[in-house]
Amino acid sequence: MTARTIDPPRTTTRHTRARLTGTGWPAKIGFIAAILALWELAVRLGQPGSVPSPSEVAPALADVISDGRLVGPVLQTLTAWALGLLLATAIGVAAGLVLGVSPVAERLTRFTVDFLRTIPSLALVPLAVLLYGSGTGSTLLLVVSAATWPILLQTAHGVHAVDPVASETCRSYRVRLHHRILFLVLPGAAAYLATGVRIAAAVSLLLSLSAELIIPAPGIGQEIAVTQLGGDLPAMYAWIFVAGVLGVLINALFSRLERALLRWHPAHRQEAR
């Protein structure tokens, strides 16, 4: 009788690794401070007036916050982002399930999907303005046209990655299709779907800001365009900073939601060890 070896548990957590490698919050804050210091030094040593320094952007950002001008554009951008992401998720999940479950549908639509997803969403700006003007509808059209594809493709790949033994077992026992999708396909493809939604969330924000900047539609992008045309460069960089912070917060939120909701998934259990 041979002895059975058991691997020792991996007790090193992500936070422990961060401390060992020096990538915790103090290191991150120090790196950001170094970047700001280099930026300030480069502006002071370079041509004044071409790019504002952090010491000029900070008061402009404080004015935007204190004057109450921050809330309206942020809410407008978030509204377009959230509505576009919801529509893209509904369309992408439904279409991805169909393409993943049906090999015939995937073969018939492969060329069409590959063709449509390569069209730049900003190329649809004239069509969006023609249909919806400079309102939120134009932003939604651009957001949905770009954010649907990551969700659709990830959902289809997730369906293909479902355990084939479990799929054959369901077919052998003649489990109804909607039960198979609900209790086998969706849980099996959940990790792929979550990744697609997280990518689509970032894409949705980028397209929302781009639409507001180009069309221009109401939101942070419009404020960037207006301050740039008015020559108020510190205020323009302040709004760019707001857009960057918003993107970081959205990415962090979706990453935490993914880890919390998919704690049961093997991929996330391995990451947590």
Side-chain angles (χ1 to χ4, degrees):
M1 184 175 180
T2 58
R4 182 183 177 186
T5 59
I6 300 176
D7 294 331
R10 298 172 60 185
T11 57
T12 304
T13 63
R14 186 171 58 253
H15 301 290
T16 305
R17 289 196 298 268
R19 288 196 298 268
L20 292 176
T21 56
T23 57
W25 278 109
K28 295 177 182 178
I29 294 174
F31 179 76
I32 294 174
I35 293 295
L36 292 177
L38 289 175
W39 179 6
E40 182 78 27
L41 181 63
V43 171
R44 292 184 180 277
L45 295 179
Q47 183 179 359
S50 57
V51 176
S53 64
S55 60
E56 295 173 320
V57 175
L61 178 61
D63 291 339
V64 168
I65 297 174
S66 61
D67 293 346
R69 290 180 289 157
L70 181 67
V71 177
V74 169
L75 289 179
Q76 290 167 336
T77 298
L78 286 177
T79 299
W81 165 80
L83 291 176
L85 183 60
L86 285 175
L87 290 173
T89 302
I91 297 171
V93 171
L97 285 175
V98 172
L99 298 183
V101 172
S102 173
V104 176
E106 183 183 15
R107 285 195 297 267
L108 289 176
T109 59
R110 182 176 300 167
F111 174 78
T112 304
V113 170
D114 289 340
F115 174 77
L116 291 177
R117 71 188 181 93
T118 57
I119 298 176
S121 297
L122 293 181
L124 301 177
V125 168
L127 177 62
V129 174
L130 182 63
L131 293 176
Y132 301 106
S134 59
T136 306
S138 298
T139 305
L140 287 179
L141 177 61
L142 299 179
V143 169
V144 172
S145 67
T148 300
W149 304 115
I151 301 175
L152 185 151
L153 295 176
Q154 285 294 114
T155 303
H157 288 315
V159 174
H160 293 155
V162 173
D163 187 359
V165 176
S167 299
E168 289 299 326
T169 303
C170 288
R171 291 191 184 95
S172 299
Y173 282 96
R174 297 184 179 180
V175 178
R176 295 180 182 272
L177 179 61
H178 62 279
H179 286 159
R180 197 166 71 222
I181 292 175
L182 185 61
F183 297 109
L184 175 64
V185 174
L186 284 178
Y192 289 86
L193 177 57
T195 301
V197 172
R198 179 159 49 84
I199 295 173
V203 172
S204 299
L205 182 62
L206 290 175
L207 264 296
S208 298
L209 295 171
S210 299
E212 294 164 359
L213 187 64
I214 295 174
I215 292 177
I220 295 176
Q222 187 182 62
E223 296 297 326
I224 294 175
V226 169
T227 51
Q228 189 268 336
L229 291 175
D232 192 356
L233 295 184
M236 182 190 75
Y237 276 83
W239 284 108
I240 293 174
F241 176 80
V242 171
V245 170
L246 194 61
V248 170
L249 292 177
I250 287 175
N251 184 69
L253 173 64
F254 274 82
S255 296
R256 287 183 176 274
L257 284 176
E258 182 179 350
R259 288 196 297 267
L261 296 177
L262 297 179
R263 191 175 301 170
W264 53 269
H265 197 274
H268 290 272
R269 287 205 301 267
Q270 284 183 351
E271 182 184 350
R273 290 179 183 176

